Amino acid sequence: MMPQTVIFTTLLVASLLFFCWSVYRRFSLVCYGQPEDRLDQPARRLSEMFLYAFGQLRVLRKPFGLNHFVIFWSFMILALANGEFLVNGVFPSVSLALLPEGMHRVLLFAFDVVSLLTLFAIAFSFIRRLVVKPPYLDSLYVKGKSPEAFLILSFIALLMLAYFGLHGAMVALGTENDTAAMPISSLVGGALAAHPSLVSTVYSVSWWLHAFVLFAFICFLPHSKHMHILTAIPNCYFGALTWPATQPREKFEKGAVYGVGSVERFTWKDLFDSFSCTECGRCQAACPAAITGKPLNPRQIVHAIKTNLLENSHALREGRSGTLPLIGDEGEGTNTEEAIWACTTCGACMEACPVLIEQMPKIVKMRRHLVETESRFPEELLNLFENMEQRSNPWGIAPGERAKWVSTLPVKPFAAGETEYLLYVGCAGSFDSRAKQVTVALATVLNAAGVSWGILGKDEKCCGDSLRRLGNEYLFEKMALENVELFRERGVKKVITLCPHCLTTLKNDYRQYGLELEVVHQSELIAELIRSGRIKLDKKDDSLGRIAYHDPCYLGRHNDIFDAPRTLVQAATGTAAVEAERNGRNSFCCGAGGGRMWMEEFTGERVNHARVDELLAQKPDTICVACPYCMTMVEDGLKDKGAGQVRVRDVVEVLAEGLLRKNA
Ligand code: SF4
Ligand code: SF4
Ligand code: SF4
């Protein structure tokens, strides 16, 4: 064996052993997580994996995503070239040249072109970090401009340069015959041919450079954020198949621990997520809390889980608890309580993440720990929890007041067999003076369309949405069980809700309690009534002027309802609503979700101010919403901004006004 082959083989074996050991050390930590079934529906999982991991669907949504797409696919294609290089270094007689000639030519051409494309993509990545400097690449502990990021980019660039040096020298030496299949290497070879004394040096230097960079890459990979090269694809396979806004039930039994207060209480998938984060900052750029200066950053949450797991790994392997707290004072690997309470559970982070990481459920799991195990939560929530427990609504108003909104309308109680739909009014629709007007508008529209509906009146209870998102799972479960029993007793099968939070809780969360309901949001039902001709609006009405629509996260992102509210605006006014810069799936929260409706904002800009500014940029006369919480937040925001002349309407009010005018 040649000395070169011996050195190469020794280094390769050492690198591979180190790689395997590092990967094993990290992946074995994932086993400390709690069990979670992510093996169902393999066909669907495979298709998600192809779409998001190989298709880079979410990566491509951003203009710069194309650059990552090129790097990803170059990596996949060049894995073959690098594999050949490694095998050939040990067994010099083995190479891709053993393949049929046509196939080998295609590969040579692909390697040449892809290597050049990669060089351009890496140059763009450098420019982006050094010149463009998008702010979301940086966060407290995770830095897009970190030495690690530049090291990895440099590794890739060096591999490409070494590739061209090596193959160019081979062309110049005449050992690479198929020059037509290697246009770029041939150009390099042509240039080298002018300096014959240099050719063999370039060959040797490129060969060893290629080898050393590959070995360094193999060793460094599992210890860097580029571990995602290994984990992102399986992470997309194991991603949630349903939108994970609904958290799993907890088992309340003697001696049980609740929520997640230490890293090993997360599930294996939560831990795997943390190794799959590419640290791209897309979640951070989408997060209303991070954008408005709160101490929450979803990227930091995921990073903290990884750091905490690594830091505590020694203790976990010895069966002890880790010393670095998961929730505590600010520091790498630890989440602050302020960060955990700042989340509006809007889901923008999960929508943005290219590798399907579920940031928000991790936050709710930590909230559960704080509320249920530690009894530690912001003081302002105490009132809410007591009101919910004693009077089954957030305001603590007497249940007897629930049906007061009906004073002007004939409304029937719900009776199975007689009334088709239960109108689940919800707490806002029952008690909040502004939201009550929406309830009346809805009742008017339903009556006009001849829909058969009834209410539970004083027997209605809060659905418990805020409790669940705030982590008070014990109280939520109690209320959910009571509601499920009531719905069963009354024979409720079909429900209309005014509020997207009620919609998601009754439709998605109650399923965990064995209650399958057909739940529709008012906008969906009315849009259907318009489509089927049961509601006709011949005279279009433009008295509301220019209308901008704000997508409620719990209607849009959480329940995929984007078109129905827009249909109502269009049907009533004859004109489509104008869109805010962030809309639809990428809409920006009003700041009230996740129980934040009942909490003050003490840090940074108010989320509703940021949203209202964005909506005002469209110069609307009216802002339309489809959620009572959004209504409050947008109205408050407009008042604070001195824009009280801009009206706020629920989409059903717009439709009801259209109907009334038609009938006038
Ligand atoms: S759910 Fe919304 S508020 Fe919470 S971390 Fe994600 S983006 Fe931020
Ligand atoms: S969690 Fe997802 S979106 Fe956020 S930084 Fe990591 S990979 Fe990017
Ligand atoms: S209140 Fe409105 S915007 Fe905010 S989380 Fe709920 S639905 Fe989203």
Side-chain angles (χ1 to χ4, degrees):
M1 213 187 242
M2 303 272 289
Q4 172 175 317
T5 311
V6 174
I7 299 170
F8 182 91
T9 308
T10 313
L11 290 176
L12 175 63
V13 170
S15 312
L16 288 177
L17 284 175
F18 185 69
F19 174 83
C20 292
W21 177 80
S22 309
V23 169
Y24 168 75
R25 292 286 291 178
R26 294 209 159 196
F27 282 179
S28 62
L29 290 175
V30 171
C31 301
Y32 288 98
Q34 305 300 307
E36 185 179 6
D37 181 17
R38 296 277 178 140
L39 291 170
D40 57 331
Q41 304 185 51
R44 199 164 148 216
R45 291 190 175 281
L46 273 178
S47 82
E48 300 270 302
M49 184 179 84
F50 278 108
L51 210 59
Y52 292 105
F54 293 107
Q56 303 259 294
L57 197 67
R58 289 190 177 172
V59 175
L60 286 169
R61 274 191 206 153
K62 295 261 179 187
F64 208 78
L66 188 58
N67 209 52
H68 187 274
F69 184 83
V70 169
I71 296 177
F72 171 80
W73 273 103
S74 303
F75 179 84
M76 301 299 277
I77 294 166
L78 294 176
L80 210 55
N82 290 324
E84 180 202 31
F85 180 85
L86 295 175
V87 174
N88 188 259
V90 182
F91 306 106
S93 58
V94 181
S95 80
L96 290 173
L98 296 173
L99 289 171
E101 195 191 335
M103 195 188 287
H104 185 224
R105 295 197 77 201
V106 171
L107 286 176
L108 284 181
F109 183 75
F111 296 159
D112 230 45
V113 174
V114 162
S115 299
L116 186 68
L117 281 177
T118 309
L119 265 182
F120 281 123
I122 295 296
F124 279 127
S125 297
F126 268 108
I127 293 171
R128 183 163 171 250
R129 281 172 170 79
L130 293 171
V131 184
V132 184
K133 299 183 190 167
Y136 61 84
L137 275 185
D138 277 345
S139 64
L140 200 56
Y141 303 111
V142 186
K143 302 273 179 223
K145 296 195 285 284
S146 67
E148 181 191 313
F150 287 115
L151 185 69
I152 295 285
L153 289 176
S154 307
F155 275 172
I156 301 173
L158 283 175
L159 275 180
M160 300 307 117
L161 292 174
Y163 177 88
F164 286 126
L166 183 62
H167 289 270
M170 284 164 75
V171 170
L173 287 169
T175 54
E176 190 62 83
N177 299 325
D178 216 343
T179 51
M182 308 175 75
I184 299 117
S185 297
S186 297
L187 274 179
V188 178
L192 283 175
H195 309 279
S197 58
L198 284 179
V199 177
S200 59
T201 313
V202 171
Y203 177 87
S204 303
V205 169
S206 300
W207 195 87
W208 277 112
L209 181 67
H210 203 281
F212 279 123
V213 174
L214 268 184
F215 296 151
F217 206 88
I218 291 170
C219 293
F220 187 57
L221 191 75
H223 296 270
S224 72
K225 70 167 185 164
H226 284 77
M227 169 100 160
H228 77 256
I229 291 171
L230 304 175
T231 51
I233 296 171
N235 205 59
C236 289
Y237 180 85
F238 292 123
L241 293 180
T242 51
W243 183 246
T246 293
Q247 290 78 46
R249 281 180 71 174
E250 282 202 331
K251 282 199 189 93
F252 292 100
E253 48 196 34
K254 219 172 161 205
V257 233
Y258 305 114
V260 171
S262 51
V263 74
E264 73 279 9
R265 293 275 312 146
F266 280 119
T267 68
W268 69 266
K269 177 58 173 59
D270 288 321
L271 303 182
F272 197 71
D273 270 357
S274 76
F275 284 127
S276 308
C277 177
T278 70
E279 296 178 12
C280 66
R282 285 163 196 250
C283 55
Q284 173 184 340
C287 173
I291 290 172
T292 56
K294 311 290 184 292
L296 166 65
N297 178 341
R299 165 158 74 156
Q300 209 80 57
I301 296 275
V302 179
H303 176 75
I305 293 171
K306 178 170 88 175
T307 312
N308 190 286
L309 182 62
L310 291 173
E311 195 71 27
N312 290 327
S313 59
H314 192 61
L316 290 174
R317 286 188 209 283
E318 289 181 350
R320 294 183 282 116
S321 306
T323 45
L324 182 68
L326 181 68
I327 305 171
D329 295 336
E330 190 171 285
E332 195 169 3
T334 300
N335 297 298
T336 63
E337 289 181 31
E338 290 77 12
I340 292 168
W341 291 115
C343 179
T344 68
T345 67
C346 70
C349 48
M350 296 191 290
E351 180 62 44
C353 183
V355 290
L356 312 190
I357 285 171
E358 297 143 42
Q359 302 91 333
M360 184 265 268
K362 297 177 186 23
I363 297 172
V364 175
K365 286 174 188 175
M366 289 188 277
R367 284 182 171 185
R368 283 186 182 181
H369 170 81
L370 289 172
V371 174
E372 296 176 332
T373 309
E374 305 270 324
S375 253
R376 268 206 330 262
F377 45 83
E379 217 180 307
E380 52 206 323
L381 291 182
L382 189 61
N383 220 5
L384 172 78
F385 293 164
E386 280 174 5
N387 288 338
M388 289 288 210
E389 188 160 22
Q390 289 160 12
R391 302 224 148 161
S392 194
N393 69 77
W395 288 278
I397 299 173
E401 302 280 306
R402 269 201 185 262
K404 286 280 167 71
W405 65 272
V406 295
S407 55
T408 53
L409 283 168
V411 173
K412 285 194 217 159
F414 176 84
E418 287 171 36
T419 33
E420 184 181 0
Y421 286 98
L422 166 71
L423 171 58
Y424 184 82
V425 186
C427 303
S430 303
F431 300 120
D432 178 87
S433 54
R434 181 64 186 86
K436 278 200 266 186
Q437 296 170 17
V438 181
T439 317
V440 172
L442 174 61
T444 311
V445 175
L446 293 179
N447 287 342
V451 175
S452 158
W453 61 280
I455 59 169
L456 292 172
K458 67 175 175 38
D459 294 337
E460 186 181 286
K461 293 170 193 294
C462 176
C463 65
D465 159 76
S466 291
L467 292 174
R468 188 155 232 209
R469 318 302 161 212
L470 284 167
N472 194 338
E473 188 66 6
Y474 183 77
L475 194 49
F476 169 76
E477 171 138 334
K478 184 173 165 279
M479 291 175 66
L481 289 171
E482 285 170 11
N483 273 323
V484 167
E485 201 186 317
L486 180 70
F487 280 29
R488 282 207 180 113
E489 245 174 53
R490 300 286 175 95
V492 178
K493 297 268 185 296
K494 294 177 168 187
V495 182
I496 308 166
T497 70
L498 278 94
C499 168
H501 297 270
C502 303
L503 172 86
T504 207
T505 311
L506 300 185
K507 185 172 158 186
N508 307 329
D509 296 69
Y510 282 17
R511 214 170 264 159
Q512 296 172 348
Y513 298 85
L515 185 69
E516 289 281 350
L517 292 168
E518 188 185 320
V519 192
V520 285
H521 183 253
Q522 53 177 11
S523 62
E524 275 180 296
L525 180 71
I526 297 170
E528 185 46 45
L529 293 171
I530 294 170
R531 259 191 298 276
S532 62
R534 283 172 70 183
I535 292 180
K536 283 205 178 72
L537 291 123
D538 309 323
K539 271 193 278 171
K540 308 294 181 201
D541 175 44
D542 60 2
S543 63
L544 290 174
R546 191 175 158 85
I547 296 180
Y549 176 65
H550 158 76
D551 281 278
C553 330
Y554 270 74
L555 192 63
R557 214 161 17 234
H558 286 319
N559 284 292
D560 257 334
I561 301 168
F562 299 103
D563 295 339
R566 290 174 168 83
T567 303
L568 268 57
V569 174
Q570 170 88 42
T573 65
T575 316
V578 294
E579 300 291 347
E581 192 187 327
R582 282 172 285 197
N583 61 64
R585 223 165 260 295
N586 299 316
S587 186
F588 192 73
C589 186
C590 71
R596 294 278 338 163
M597 175 75 184
W598 319 106
M599 296 161 83
E600 244 317 317
E601 284 181 51
F602 297 110
T603 319
E605 186 191 6
R606 294 181 65 93
V607 175
N608 63 337
H609 287 183
R611 184 54 172 165
V612 159
D613 279 344
E614 196 170 3
L615 290 160
L616 285 176
Q618 300 304 323
K619 311 233 173 313
D621 302 298
T622 304
I623 294 174
C624 267
V625 295
C627 167
Y629 290 176
C630 300
M631 169 86 81
T632 305
M633 298 308 262
V634 173
E635 280 191 340
D636 287 355
L638 288 173
K639 264 182 233 143
D640 296 345
K641 293 270 164 189
Q645 79 287 356
V646 177
R647 286 166 291 228
V648 185
R649 292 280 188 280
D650 191 285
V651 287
V652 76
E653 291 181 297
V654 176
L655 197 91
E657 283 173 27
L659 270 180
L660 290 174
R661 276 198 193 89
K662 179 192 164 194
N663 297 332

